[in-house]
Amino acid sequence: MDPLSLTTLLAAAAMAGWVDAVVGGGGLLLLPALLVAAPGMPVASALGTNKLAAIAGTATAALTYARRTKIDWAVAGPSAGLAVLCAGLGAALAGAVPASAYRPVVLVVLVSVAVFVVLRPRLGVVAQPQRRTRWRVVAVVAVAGVGIALYDGLIGPGTGTFLVLAFTALVGADFVHGSAMAKIVNAGTNLGALVVFAATGNVWWLLGAAMAVCNVAGAALGARMALRRGSGFVRIVLLVVVLALVGKLGFDQWMAA
Protein backbone atom coordinates (compact mmCIF):
# COMPACT_ATOMS: atom_id res chain seq x y z
CA MET A 1 0.00 0.00 0.00
CA ASP A 2 1.44 3.38 -1.01
CA PRO A 3 1.95 6.13 1.63
CA LEU A 4 -0.90 8.32 0.31
CA SER A 5 -3.43 5.47 0.45
CA LEU A 6 -2.27 4.53 3.95
CA THR A 7 -2.51 8.12 5.18
CA THR A 8 -5.99 8.48 3.71
CA LEU A 9 -7.08 5.23 5.33
CA LEU A 10 -5.75 6.25 8.75
CA ALA A 11 -7.52 9.62 8.48
CA ALA A 12 -10.73 7.78 7.58
CA ALA A 13 -10.26 5.54 10.64
CA ALA A 14 -9.98 8.60 12.90
CA MET A 15 -13.09 10.21 11.39
CA ALA A 16 -14.98 6.91 11.62
CA GLY A 17 -14.08 6.69 15.31
CA TRP A 18 -15.49 10.18 15.87
CA VAL A 19 -18.74 9.43 14.02
CA ASP A 20 -19.15 6.08 15.76
CA ALA A 21 -18.65 7.61 19.20
CA VAL A 22 -21.23 10.34 18.63
CA VAL A 23 -24.01 8.41 16.93
CA GLY A 24 -22.69 5.36 15.04
CA GLY A 25 -22.25 4.81 11.32
CA GLY A 26 -18.45 4.95 11.15
CA GLY A 27 -18.43 1.87 8.91
CA LEU A 28 -19.97 4.08 6.22
CA LEU A 29 -16.59 5.82 6.04
CA LEU A 30 -14.16 3.07 6.86
CA LEU A 31 -15.37 0.11 4.81
CA PRO A 32 -15.41 1.98 1.46
CA ALA A 33 -12.04 3.53 2.35
CA LEU A 34 -10.61 0.05 2.97
CA LEU A 35 -11.91 -1.33 -0.31
CA VAL A 36 -10.58 1.67 -2.26
CA ALA A 37 -7.17 1.87 -0.53
CA ALA A 38 -6.60 -1.89 -0.73
CA PRO A 39 -8.35 -2.97 -3.96
CA GLY A 40 -7.10 -6.55 -3.71
CA MET A 41 -8.59 -7.08 -0.25
CA PRO A 42 -11.45 -9.62 -0.14
CA VAL A 43 -14.72 -8.25 1.25
CA ALA A 44 -14.57 -10.63 4.23
CA SER A 45 -11.06 -9.37 5.08
CA ALA A 46 -12.26 -5.77 4.80
CA LEU A 47 -15.08 -6.56 7.23
CA GLY A 48 -12.71 -8.33 9.64
CA THR A 49 -10.04 -5.63 9.53
CA ASN A 50 -12.71 -2.98 10.04
CA LYS A 51 -13.90 -4.85 13.15
CA LEU A 52 -10.39 -4.81 14.61
CA ALA A 53 -10.23 -1.03 14.26
CA ALA A 54 -13.85 -0.54 15.34
CA ILE A 55 -13.66 -2.58 18.54
CA ALA A 56 -10.79 -0.39 19.78
CA GLY A 57 -12.80 2.77 19.07
CA THR A 58 -16.11 1.56 20.47
CA ALA A 59 -14.45 0.24 23.64
CA THR A 60 -12.74 3.60 24.14
CA ALA A 61 -16.00 5.49 23.60
CA ALA A 62 -17.90 3.10 25.90
CA LEU A 63 -15.33 3.63 28.66
CA THR A 64 -15.47 7.41 28.22
CA TYR A 65 -19.27 7.44 28.45
CA ALA A 66 -19.29 5.05 31.44
CA ARG A 67 -16.92 7.32 33.37
CA ARG A 68 -18.94 10.48 32.73
CA THR A 69 -22.59 9.47 32.60
CA LYS A 70 -24.97 6.97 34.17
CA ILE A 71 -25.40 3.71 32.23
CA ASP A 72 -28.62 1.69 32.38
CA TRP A 73 -26.86 -1.64 32.85
CA ALA A 74 -30.12 -3.59 33.11
CA VAL A 75 -30.59 -2.74 29.42
CA ALA A 76 -27.02 -2.42 28.16
CA GLY A 77 -25.59 -5.50 29.92
CA PRO A 78 -27.91 -8.22 28.56
CA SER A 79 -27.95 -6.54 25.14
CA ALA A 80 -24.15 -6.59 24.96
CA GLY A 81 -23.96 -10.23 26.11
CA LEU A 82 -26.40 -11.37 23.44
CA ALA A 83 -24.70 -9.15 20.88
CA VAL A 84 -21.39 -11.01 21.18
CA LEU A 85 -23.07 -14.30 20.26
CA CYS A 86 -25.44 -12.98 17.60
CA ALA A 87 -22.85 -10.83 15.83
CA GLY A 88 -20.57 -13.87 15.73
CA LEU A 89 -23.38 -15.84 14.12
CA GLY A 90 -23.93 -13.05 11.62
CA ALA A 91 -20.23 -12.98 10.76
CA ALA A 92 -20.27 -16.76 10.23
CA LEU A 93 -23.13 -16.31 7.75
CA ALA A 94 -21.62 -13.23 6.09
CA GLY A 95 -20.32 -15.10 3.07
CA ALA A 96 -23.55 -17.00 2.48
CA VAL A 97 -25.92 -14.05 2.00
CA PRO A 98 -25.06 -11.24 -0.46
CA ALA A 99 -25.27 -7.68 0.83
CA SER A 100 -27.55 -6.85 -2.09
CA ALA A 101 -30.27 -8.95 -0.47
CA TYR A 102 -30.34 -6.63 2.53
CA ARG A 103 -29.78 -3.30 0.81
CA PRO A 104 -33.44 -2.56 -0.13
CA VAL A 105 -34.67 -3.47 3.35
CA VAL A 106 -32.04 -1.32 5.08
CA LEU A 107 -32.84 1.56 2.74
CA VAL A 108 -36.52 1.47 3.67
CA VAL A 109 -35.65 1.30 7.38
CA LEU A 110 -33.25 4.24 7.13
CA VAL A 111 -35.70 6.43 5.24
CA SER A 112 -38.33 5.59 7.85
CA VAL A 113 -35.87 6.48 10.60
CA ALA A 114 -35.08 9.86 9.00
CA VAL A 115 -38.79 10.69 8.64
CA PHE A 116 -39.48 9.52 12.20
CA VAL A 117 -36.70 11.68 13.70
CA VAL A 118 -37.71 14.75 11.66
CA LEU A 119 -41.40 14.44 12.57
CA ARG A 120 -40.60 13.92 16.25
CA PRO A 121 -38.19 16.76 17.08
CA ARG A 122 -38.27 15.99 20.81
CA LEU A 123 -37.25 12.35 20.36
CA GLY A 124 -34.03 11.76 22.26
CA VAL A 125 -33.56 15.41 23.18
CA VAL A 126 -35.17 14.89 26.58
CA ALA A 127 -35.31 11.54 28.39
CA GLN A 128 -38.74 9.90 28.77
CA PRO A 129 -38.31 7.48 31.70
CA GLN A 130 -42.01 6.60 31.69
CA ARG A 131 -41.39 4.62 28.49
CA ARG A 132 -39.04 2.25 30.30
CA THR A 133 -41.48 -0.55 31.16
CA ARG A 134 -40.52 -4.19 31.72
CA TRP A 135 -41.81 -5.30 28.33
CA ARG A 136 -40.07 -2.45 26.54
CA VAL A 137 -36.80 -3.44 28.20
CA VAL A 138 -37.28 -7.02 26.98
CA ALA A 139 -38.10 -5.71 23.50
CA VAL A 140 -35.07 -3.44 23.26
CA VAL A 141 -32.72 -6.19 24.49
CA ALA A 142 -34.09 -8.47 21.76
CA VAL A 143 -33.87 -5.80 19.07
CA ALA A 144 -30.37 -4.61 20.03
CA GLY A 145 -28.79 -7.86 21.21
CA VAL A 146 -30.25 -10.14 18.54
CA GLY A 147 -31.61 -8.31 15.50
CA ILE A 148 -29.14 -5.43 15.20
CA ALA A 149 -26.21 -7.62 16.31
CA LEU A 150 -26.95 -10.14 13.55
CA TYR A 151 -27.02 -7.30 11.05
CA ASP A 152 -23.67 -6.02 12.31
CA GLY A 153 -22.03 -9.41 11.82
CA LEU A 154 -23.54 -9.78 8.34
CA ILE A 155 -23.00 -6.26 6.94
CA GLY A 156 -22.22 -3.66 9.61
CA PRO A 157 -22.52 -0.01 8.50
CA GLY A 158 -25.14 1.91 10.47
CA THR A 159 -25.19 -0.48 13.44
CA GLY A 160 -24.43 2.20 16.01
CA THR A 161 -27.11 4.45 14.54
CA PHE A 162 -29.73 1.70 14.75
CA LEU A 163 -28.73 1.01 18.36
CA VAL A 164 -29.06 4.66 19.40
CA LEU A 165 -32.52 4.84 17.84
CA ALA A 166 -33.60 1.59 19.49
CA PHE A 167 -32.67 2.87 22.95
CA THR A 168 -34.28 6.28 22.45
CA ALA A 169 -37.49 5.11 20.75
CA LEU A 170 -38.17 1.98 22.82
CA VAL A 171 -37.08 2.85 26.36
CA GLY A 172 -37.07 6.66 26.23
CA ALA A 173 -33.35 7.34 26.67
CA ASP A 174 -32.05 10.70 25.54
CA PHE A 175 -29.52 10.70 22.70
CA VAL A 176 -26.48 11.02 24.98
CA HIS A 177 -27.47 8.07 27.18
CA GLY A 178 -28.67 6.16 24.11
CA SER A 179 -25.25 6.67 22.53
CA ALA A 180 -23.58 5.50 25.74
CA MET A 181 -25.53 2.23 25.76
CA ALA A 182 -25.06 1.85 22.01
CA LYS A 183 -21.27 1.95 22.40
CA ILE A 184 -21.34 -0.82 25.00
CA VAL A 185 -23.50 -3.04 22.80
CA ASN A 186 -21.51 -2.12 19.69
CA ALA A 187 -18.31 -3.19 21.45
CA GLY A 188 -20.00 -6.55 21.97
CA THR A 189 -21.05 -6.89 18.34
CA ASN A 190 -17.55 -5.98 17.18
CA LEU A 191 -16.00 -8.53 19.53
CA GLY A 192 -18.29 -11.36 18.40
CA ALA A 193 -17.74 -10.64 14.71
CA LEU A 194 -13.97 -10.13 15.13
CA VAL A 195 -13.54 -13.54 16.78
CA VAL A 196 -15.19 -15.24 13.82
CA PHE A 197 -13.35 -13.23 11.17
CA ALA A 198 -10.04 -13.88 12.97
CA ALA A 199 -10.72 -17.61 13.21
CA THR A 200 -11.30 -17.75 9.45
CA GLY A 201 -8.15 -15.75 8.66
CA ASN A 202 -10.00 -12.64 7.51
CA VAL A 203 -8.16 -9.96 9.50
CA TRP A 204 -5.15 -7.95 8.27
CA TRP A 205 -3.62 -7.46 11.71
CA LEU A 206 -0.90 -4.85 11.09
CA LEU A 207 -3.16 -2.61 9.03
CA GLY A 208 -6.02 -3.10 11.48
CA ALA A 209 -3.80 -2.22 14.46
CA ALA A 210 -2.65 1.02 12.81
CA MET A 211 -6.27 1.91 12.01
CA ALA A 212 -7.26 1.05 15.59
CA VAL A 213 -4.90 3.67 17.03
CA CYS A 214 -6.48 6.37 14.85
CA ASN A 215 -9.98 5.06 15.57
CA VAL A 216 -9.34 5.32 19.32
CA ALA A 217 -8.21 8.94 18.99
CA GLY A 218 -11.35 9.84 17.01
CA ALA A 219 -13.62 7.92 19.39
CA ALA A 220 -12.24 9.61 22.49
CA LEU A 221 -12.75 13.04 20.92
CA GLY A 222 -16.25 12.19 19.67
CA ALA A 223 -17.46 10.84 23.02
CA ARG A 224 -16.20 13.90 24.89
CA MET A 225 -17.80 16.23 22.33
CA ALA A 226 -21.16 14.45 22.56
CA LEU A 227 -21.12 14.64 26.35
CA ARG A 228 -20.14 18.30 26.31
CA ARG A 229 -22.59 19.48 23.64
CA GLY A 230 -25.56 17.32 24.61
CA SER A 231 -28.46 15.58 22.93
CA GLY A 232 -29.30 18.37 20.46
CA PHE A 233 -25.85 18.05 18.89
CA VAL A 234 -26.16 14.25 18.74
CA ARG A 235 -29.56 14.58 17.02
CA ILE A 236 -28.08 16.76 14.26
CA VAL A 237 -25.20 14.33 13.68
CA LEU A 238 -27.70 11.46 13.69
CA LEU A 239 -29.73 13.00 10.89
CA VAL A 240 -26.61 13.74 8.83
CA VAL A 241 -25.35 10.16 9.24
CA VAL A 242 -28.74 8.63 8.39
CA LEU A 243 -29.05 10.77 5.24
CA ALA A 244 -25.49 9.84 4.26
CA LEU A 245 -26.28 6.15 4.75
CA VAL A 246 -29.42 6.50 2.63
CA GLY A 247 -27.40 8.20 -0.11
CA LYS A 248 -24.64 5.58 -0.05
CA LEU A 249 -26.97 2.58 -0.03
CA GLY A 250 -29.24 4.19 -2.64
CA PHE A 251 -26.26 4.72 -4.94
CA ASP A 252 -25.10 1.12 -4.41
CA GLN A 253 -28.60 -0.15 -5.17
CA TRP A 254 -28.80 1.99 -8.33
CA MET A 255 -25.38 0.77 -9.51
CA ALA A 256 -26.39 -2.84 -8.88
CA ALA A 257 -29.64 -2.51 -10.80
Side-chain angles (χ1 to χ4, degrees):
M1 185 179 297
D2 63 88
L4 179 59
S5 295
L6 180 59
T7 301
T8 302
L9 190 54
L10 295 179
M15 180 58 70
W18 186 92
V19 172
D20 258 338
V22 177
V23 76
L28 174 70
L29 295 170
L30 200 46
L31 273 175
L34 265 171
L35 294 171
V36 170
M41 177 183 283
V43 173
S45 296
L47 289 168
T49 305
N50 174 63
K51 290 303 177 191
L52 177 58
I55 192 172
T58 51
T60 298
L63 184 60
T64 301
Y65 278 116
R67 285 175 172 174
R68 300 192 178 199
T69 191
K70 186 177 180 180
I71 303 293
D72 188 345
W73 288 107
V75 173
S79 298
L82 281 171
V84 175
L85 299 175
C86 292
L89 176 60
L93 298 173
V97 183
S100 58
Y102 296 90
R103 202 176 292 129
V105 176
V106 176
L107 263 173
V108 171
V109 172
L110 283 169
V111 171
S112 301
V113 163
V115 172
F116 184 67
V117 173
V118 168
L119 293 181
R120 297 189 63 181
R122 302 304 298 169
L123 175 72
V125 175
V126 178
Q128 296 178 299
Q130 73 275 9
R131 297 180 67 85
R132 191 190 180 285
T133 64
R134 179 180 299 178
W135 290 111
R136 283 178 175 269
V137 169
V138 171
V140 81
V141 168
V143 169
V146 179
I148 298 175
L150 275 170
Y151 166 80
D152 192 30
L154 281 166
I155 305 174
T159 294
T161 307
F162 291 141
L163 288 169
V164 172
L165 285 166
F167 292 131
T168 54
L170 290 177
V171 290
D174 61 48
F175 278 133
V176 169
H177 290 86
S179 289
M181 290 189 286
K183 291 310 103 189
I184 292 166
V185 178
N186 209 175
T189 66
N190 287 331
L191 175 61
L194 177 61
V195 168
V196 172
F197 284 124
T200 55
N202 284 306
V203 179
W204 290 18
W205 293 99
L206 288 178
L207 178 59
M211 289 164 49
V213 172
C214 297
N215 201 260
V216 165
L221 178 62
R224 288 181 173 88
M225 190 175 293
L227 286 164
R228 186 170 64 250
R229 297 198 176 186
S231 294
F233 169 73
V234 177
R235 182 178 187 273
I236 292 170
V237 177
L238 172 69
L239 282 171
V240 171
V241 169
V242 168
L243 291 174
L245 279 165
V246 169
K248 172 65 168 59
L249 290 172
F251 178 77
D252 290 345
Q253 182 67 19
W254 177 70
M255 291 296 290

